[in-house]
Amino acid sequence: MGSNVILKLLEYIEYYCKEAGYQLILHNTRESSIEESNAIKQLVEAGVKGIIIFPTEIEKYNESLLRLILDKFPVIFIDRYLY
């Protein structure tokens, strides 16, 4: 979250989530795929309705993220896409 662009994006996401009656829960995984998997698991167990994710910059997506896609769980990618 080291850039002003990302901070501004988070401000808008939070604003529009609130406008739609949702609460934004933020997890910073610091480019760790293990932390990303843990965060995804915690969020799903908490009953979130969808996930907006800026995935780690590794060559492949982690299994937790792929499982969400296969299960048709609402996921929005920021600055990435599935090949």
Side-chain angles (χ1 to χ4, degrees):
M1 297 192 335
S3 78
N4 288 336
V5 172
I6 294 172
L7 291 175
K8 197 57 146 172
L9 180 61
L10 280 173
E11 285 179 22
Y12 282 110
I13 291 170
E14 194 273 335
Y15 173 81
Y16 286 105
C17 283
K18 187 183 283 186
E19 285 288 306
Y22 295 102
Q23 179 182 8
L24 178 67
I25 301 170
L26 177 67
H27 283 265
N28 184 349
T29 61
R30 294 171 181 78
E31 292 297 319
S32 166
S33 59
I34 294 170
E35 288 296 319
E36 186 176 87
S37 292
N38 290 338
I40 290 168
K41 181 181 177 192
Q42 290 172 3
L43 291 167
V44 170
E45 287 176 355
V48 299
K49 303 293 183 194
I51 293 177
I52 301 170
I53 188 165
F54 198 142
T56 59
E57 290 190 46
I58 58 176
E59 288 187 23
K60 61 181 183 175
Y61 295 111
N62 71 48
E63 290 181 26
S64 299
L65 188 53
L66 293 173
R67 174 57 36 208
L68 291 178
I69 301 302
L70 291 173
D71 290 344
K72 299 188 187 310
F73 191 87
V75 176
I76 296 173
F77 287 86
I78 298 176
D79 196 40
R80 307 277 190 279
Y81 57 90
L82 289 175
Y83 296 92

